[in-house]
Amino acid sequence: ALCSHIQYERMDGDVTMQCGSLDSDASVTWKVNGTDVKAHHREEGSRLILMEVDLSNNGLYSCFQNPNGERRDQINLRIGTSPREPTVTCRSNTYPKGFYCSWHLQHPTSIPTDFDVTVLPWFSPDPTSLEVTRDVVHKNRCHVLFPEVFSSYPYRVNVTAVNALGKASTTITFEEINIVKPDPPERVVATPIPSNVRRLEYFLRYRPLIRDQWQHVELTDSTAHTITDAYAGKEYIIQVAAKDMEIGTWSDWSVAVHATPWMDKPQQIPSTTEQEPLLGTYPNPDPNRSPPPTSKNRSSVRTPTLTQTLTQTDPLHHRARTAPRYVPQP
């Protein structure tokens, strides 16, 4: 049986195929994949010339000598391009054991292309090529063992792409510390948390029952708030609205909650003068008690002034605070 041979040719060029060793003026008939040649071509004796070939011209071409039709040659035509400079990257995911380099062509050649790889410790007193092991799974990857840990010399990697139509090379230089990069985590599991709620922010408003003006507090990191400016013994109305921290708008106000701060028991407040003590819960002096002594000489005795002090309490938690009292001031 007549064996075929492969003929590689460049894209967009003209291709000439010779029918074996027949004379240039021999009469032959050409077929491609068993059918007549329909591509743009011309025949010159024992030669077939294809014009401006592309990938559609790939095929098995056979020539038959006239007039007996004996097959004299078979040519497997493969159209492609010469390689351009490959893209090369190196990484160490097993440091300090070694590193690997991988490469690829940004533009396919359409024909078989091999890669030659060399690795050198650059500027080393012993610039011997390091052993390169090709990866058994990834054809465009190789592995290199570090000859020493914490090397002070950079490494130089050269990758040359070679095929029947040409070759091209890329060289990179790097220090080992600049290529150390671990692999991404594997077997990552995400588990939903039971009863987990969306992240919400809250808006609180409150006011004394006897007033119409609201006071507002925005809560972004908490679901509790202590109101520190409530008046003791005054009933308050409290409402809360919520909003998703990522999207959406504020909810309607919650059902109103009523709360009144607690007050402590009355405490006896001593007078700052020589008078008898007054009780802090008396809104007015005892009408049956004699008024404080006065003196015509105002520089020797002063009548104390009574000032009301209001204690601020927490209506949400009903914390006990001091009740309003009258404190004599000089």
Side-chain angles (χ1 to χ4, degrees):
L2 186 64
C3 296
S4 64
H5 61 276
I6 300 176
Q7 182 174 333
Y8 293 104
E9 297 292 344
R10 295 181 183 277
M11 188 89 67
D12 300 324
D14 293 346
V15 173
T16 299
M17 288 178 282
Q18 170 66 36
C19 184
S21 58
L22 293 179
D23 293 338
S24 60
D25 58 352
S27 175
V28 299
T29 300
W30 287 90
K31 301 285 186 180
V32 56
N33 299 325
T35 63
D36 294 338
V37 178
K38 298 180 180 179
H40 185 204
H41 72 284
R42 73 175 186 268
E43 296 181 16
E44 296 180 356
S46 60
R47 297 183 300 171
L48 173 66
I49 303 174
L50 302 178
M51 309 296 185
E52 299 179 351
V53 296
D54 55 27
L55 295 180
S56 66
N57 295 110
N58 285 337
L60 181 62
Y61 289 79
S62 303
C63 61
F64 302 87
Q65 187 176 10
N66 298 324
N68 55 14
E70 180 184 358
R71 186 170 61 186
R72 300 300 300 269
D73 199 4
Q74 280 188 317
I75 301 172
N76 191 354
L77 181 63
R78 289 291 176 263
I79 307 301
T81 61
S82 60
R84 299 185 186 181
E85 292 79 3
T87 300
V88 182
T89 58
C90 296
R91 182 165 74 95
S92 175
N93 61 342
T94 59
Y95 188 82
K97 183 179 179 181
F99 63 94
Y100 70 88
C101 295
S102 57
W103 54 87
H104 69 276
L105 295 175
Q106 294 185 350
H107 304 278
T109 62
S110 302
I111 60 175
T113 301
D114 295 327
F115 297 89
D116 295 330
V117 183
T118 58
V119 180
L120 290 172
W122 198 237
F123 300 121
S124 172
D126 183 22
T128 304
S129 296
L130 302 181
E131 182 178 358
V132 176
T133 304
R134 300 296 286 265
D135 195 288
V136 296
V137 177
H138 306 280
K139 66 177 183 178
N140 289 358
R141 178 180 295 184
C142 69
H143 299 269
V144 182
L145 296 178
F146 283 121
E148 59 180 295
V149 182
F150 305 121
S151 172
S152 59
Y153 302 103
Y155 294 90
R156 185 169 187 172
V157 177
N158 178 272
V159 178
T160 302
V162 183
N163 66 20
L165 301 178
K167 63 180 181 179
S169 299
T170 296
T171 300
I172 63 172
T173 303
F174 56 84
E175 296 182 0
E176 61 182 42
I177 61 174
N178 294 328
I179 63 170
V180 176
K181 181 180 179 181
D183 291 331
E186 297 180 350
R187 294 186 291 275
V188 178
V189 177
T191 304
I193 301 175
S195 302
N196 189 32
V197 296
R198 295 177 302 167
R199 292 188 61 192
L200 301 177
E201 57 181 323
Y202 299 91
F203 205 67
L204 179 145
R205 71 176 184 178
Y206 61 96
R207 64 176 176 85
L209 182 61
I210 61 176
R211 295 188 178 181
D212 296 328
Q213 184 178 0
W214 294 93
Q215 292 177 275
H216 298 84
V217 178
E218 187 171 0
L219 308 175
T220 57
D221 299 322
S222 176
T223 57
H225 178 70
T226 300
I227 297 175
T228 60
D229 57 352
Y231 292 105
K234 301 293 184 180
E235 183 178 359
Y236 276 76
I237 301 176
I238 304 166
Q239 290 180 298
V240 179
K243 175 183 173 297
D244 192 293
M245 296 188 68
E246 302 296 335
I247 59 174
T249 58
W250 288 100
S251 71
D252 294 334
W253 290 108
S254 66
V255 177
V257 174
H258 293 249
T260 303
W262 282 5
M263 294 187 300
D264 288 337
K265 296 180 179 180
Q267 296 182 0
Q268 190 174 19
I269 306 301
S271 173
T272 56
T273 67
E274 296 180 356
Q275 302 178 70
E276 294 183 8
L278 298 175
L279 293 181
T281 54
Y282 291 169
N284 293 297
D286 188 344
N288 296 323
R289 186 184 300 273
S290 300
T294 58
S295 173
K296 296 181 181 180
N297 186 358
R298 295 183 180 270
S299 62
S300 60
V301 179
R302 297 180 59 190
T303 303
T305 302
L306 301 182
T307 302
Q308 186 181 33
T309 300
L310 300 178
T311 302
Q312 298 175 350
T313 59
D314 178 2
L316 293 180
H317 301 287
H318 302 286
R319 297 180 181 175
R321 300 293 183 185
T322 305
R325 63 178 181 266
Y326 288 93
V327 180
Q329 295 182 353

